Amino acid sequence: MTRPGTRLLVAGVGNIFLADDAFGPEVIRALERRPLPAEVRVRDFGIRGLDLAYELLEGYDTAVLVDAAARGHRPGTLSLIEPDLPDGGEGVAPPEAHGMDPAKVLALAAHLGDEPLPRVLVLACEPELRPSGDEDITPGISATVRDAVERAVEALHTLVPVLLADPAATPALSRPDESTGPSAAVLPLSVTGGVEDR
């Protein structure tokens, strides 16, 4: 049951021209075929960090960022991470015009806003293809990460109702051995298709 007035943002982030970094935008596109409940704002921010920073100030209870993140797991592994939020201190560097560093975006949002940021969760996918420093454009995601896109959609359909009912809830975790600490954990295996290493 949805708690009245709960506001939830699901934001895809990543560069569609940098191989598996396109995971977030690909998940948002896949959600067009399997939409989340109407009270959830779903948006692809791509590499527009400034837009995301301002969107985080719009009174959401929770924001779920969907992104590729190298965490040392097998490619295609989905993880649910709850990062520590910045305090909004001075001297915040703005996000790059053509990049999306979620930590910088959160720091900027904390600096710009008077109210606390929403709770932020990151649904992350371990990438397989990452361009080397000299490659400017590498369009197309790996088959491994493409398979993870549908599992991420399934995971969001599991997570979102829980967060709408209680924005402070954390889904039960069954693989804490893959966590890097209390603020990061792999999603439960109860999600259809599983999120075990693939």
Side-chain angles (χ1 to χ4, degrees):
M1 182 175 154
T2 300
R3 191 183 76 173
T6 299
R7 298 192 67 218
L8 177 62
L9 173 68
V10 173
V13 298
N15 190 328
I16 62 170
F17 297 112
L18 294 180
D20 287 346
D21 195 52
F23 173 73
E26 288 290 330
V27 170
I28 299 305
R29 192 160 51 171
L31 283 170
E32 292 173 5
R33 296 186 302 275
R34 288 194 57 204
L36 292 169
E39 58 265 42
V40 180
R41 172 116 161 103
V42 177
R43 187 168 171 203
D44 175 13
F45 285 88
I47 58 171
R48 297 183 319 277
L50 191 60
D51 289 351
L52 177 57
Y54 278 109
E55 187 72 25
L56 289 169
L57 302 176
E58 292 297 317
Y60 294 100
D61 296 285
T62 308
V64 179
L65 309 185
V66 184
D67 195 11
R71 303 183 61 235
H73 298 304
R74 287 187 187 166
T77 299
L78 297 179
S79 300
L80 185 64
I81 306 162
E82 184 165 8
D84 293 325
L85 294 179
D87 61 7
E90 295 298 319
V92 177
E96 299 168 19
H98 299 292
M100 172 65 87
D101 179 340
K104 287 183 181 179
V105 171
L106 293 174
L108 179 62
H111 177 71
L112 292 172
D114 295 329
E115 299 296 318
L117 290 179
R119 178 185 188 202
V120 175
L121 299 172
V122 180
L123 178 59
C125 179
E126 187 75 28
E128 182 172 39
L129 294 178
R130 289 176 286 186
S132 66
D134 354 8
E135 295 174 283
D136 287 336
I137 296 178
T138 310
I141 63 176
S142 65
T144 303
V145 170
R146 177 146 318 277
D147 289 345
V149 167
E150 286 307 317
R151 289 186 287 118
V153 168
E154 197 65 44
L156 287 166
H157 277 275
T158 300
L159 290 170
V160 163
V162 173
L163 294 171
L164 286 174
D166 179 5
T170 300
L173 303 171
S174 61
R175 307 267 309 263
D177 53 302
E178 292 185 343
S179 301
T180 57
S183 65
V186 171
L187 287 169
L189 291 176
S190 60
V191 174
T192 303
V195 293
E196 64 271 22
D197 297 340
R198 294 184 182 212

